[in-house]
Amino acid sequence: MEERDGRAGGFRKVRRSREGGSVPGGGVRACSSLPLSAQDTVDRLLRLHFRDGRTRVNGDAQLLMAEMLNVFVREAAARAARQAQTEDLEKVDIEHLEKVLPQLLLDF
Amino acid sequence: MAAAGDGERLLLTQRLKAAVHYTVGCLCQEVEEDKDIGFSKQSIAAISEITFRQCETFARDLEMFARHAKRSTINTEDVKLLARRSSSLLKYITQKSDELASSNLEQKEKKKKKSSAAKGERTPGEKEAAVTENEDSNMS
């Protein structure tokens, strides 16, 4: 994952600080030199879909939304994983995701 | 001109999708380690596609909530409203929001202490420097 193209900003510093523990030498990863910062990514993601050009997002709301998206991804992944495990499989495939998707969307 | 604008938008969309995909990959890796299971590439790609699309729904809803409150800036109350469907999600988001609010409060108090201490030592001519310290970014 570390060799990935440097465009991604990720959602949140929290995620990065968790990963920082597992990176040898720790500290800030190369991501800091990227054009898109973590918070910026969330902001742009939302602004992409606003209908009114004047709508802005408050700093705290950005952080909360980043957290929300983290939770969303984790839920999706965890539920699909649970589905795969119920079927006694060791690899999560699209079909497992499809089965958990309706309830996931209803819960969000 | 419209075509150039569309091209830019497409480029931005691609960059954002790539960013989302990368993050989703990282998060899935954590879940993989937690649950001792593997994710196929297609499933990771599917999750990032779903997340990206869900952002659109979130963004539109947030915009509507703010507009309903006659505001043009989305704040944490709007995000909390977004999390209303699941009580555990709402609880989690509310908790995070309270944490943020209290850490903001701490920061503000620190700033006040610094600038009032600094003001006491400075001559009147240097007051302008102290004023710029109080400029808030887009926090609340």
Side-chain angles (χ1 to χ4, degrees):
Chain A
M1 285 291 163
E2 264 112 282
E3 303 97 38
R4 283 281 186 135
D5 174 46
R7 263 183 269 143
F11 287 144
R12 172 79 161 109
K13 288 174 217 159
V14 168
R15 173 193 70 80
R16 227 179 265 145
S17 64
R18 268 210 226 164
E19 291 203 10
S22 59
V23 172
V28 179
R29 290 160 53 166
C31 303
S32 56
S33 56
L34 296 174
L36 279 179
S37 77
Q39 221 164 307
D40 212 19
T41 307
V42 173
D43 189 44
R44 279 171 187 254
L45 263 173
L46 295 175
R47 287 226 297 260
L48 193 65
H49 300 294
F50 287 157
R51 296 225 172 122
D52 185 354
R54 287 167 300 169
T55 310
R56 298 271 176 276
V57 188
N58 173 350
D60 281 353
Q62 279 174 17
L63 291 169
L64 273 188
M65 272 316 292
E67 205 51 51
M68 183 93 155
L69 288 171
N70 272 336
V71 171
F72 183 80
V73 174
R74 280 181 197 274
E75 264 309 295
R79 288 186 191 193
R82 214 176 299 149
Q83 180 65 33
Q85 278 171 343
T86 319
E87 297 179 12
D88 282 323
L89 293 168
E90 292 204 351
K91 203 163 178 100
V92 181
D93 226 336
I94 285 214
E95 51 184 8
H96 307 128
L97 193 57
E98 283 174 3
K99 288 180 188 167
V100 301
L101 191 58
Q103 189 59 50
L104 177 74
L105 294 181
L106 285 172
D107 285 339
F108 271 84
Chain B
M1 274 309 240
D6 279 347
E8 260 183 45
R9 191 184 165 87
L10 193 60
L11 195 62
L12 180 63
T13 306
Q14 281 175 345
R15 282 177 86 202
L16 289 173
K17 280 193 178 179
V20 170
H21 187 64
Y22 174 70
T23 306
V24 168
C26 293
L27 288 172
C28 283
Q29 203 177 21
E30 287 183 20
V31 176
E32 276 182 338
E33 287 162 9
D34 273 346
K35 298 210 160 206
D36 201 18
I37 201 169
F39 279 86
S40 72
K41 280 196 175 173
Q42 297 92 328
S43 59
I44 296 186
I47 295 181
S48 47
E49 182 69 28
I50 294 169
T51 306
F52 190 81
R53 297 230 194 144
Q54 192 66 18
C55 278
E56 174 165 3
T57 308
F58 283 162
R60 296 255 166 101
D61 283 353
L62 287 171
E63 190 177 28
M64 288 294 144
F65 295 160
R67 177 177 293 187
H68 182 66
K70 298 193 177 53
R71 278 183 273 111
S72 61
T73 303
I74 291 166
N75 65 14
T76 55
E77 291 306 306
D78 299 323
V79 181
K80 283 190 220 172
L81 196 53
L82 196 64
R84 69 195 178 289
R85 292 220 172 92
S86 153
S87 52
S88 48
L89 179 64
L90 182 59
K91 198 168 152 198
Y92 180 74
I93 294 289
T94 309
Q95 201 180 315
K96 287 282 163 191
S97 162
D98 292 340
E99 282 174 23
L100 275 175
S102 63
S103 85
N104 279 354
L105 211 60
E106 278 179 25
Q107 274 192 348
K108 273 191 177 170
E109 309 218 323
K110 274 190 191 172
K111 269 189 177 179
K112 272 188 184 170
K113 281 188 184 171
K114 265 191 189 173
S115 64
S116 61
K119 265 184 189 168
E121 294 168 359
R122 281 192 190 142
T123 61
E126 283 166 310
K127 262 195 198 161
E128 287 123 28
V131 169
T132 52
E133 262 184 10
N134 290 328
E135 254 176 29
D136 257 10
S137 56
N138 53 0
M139 285 292 211
S140 66

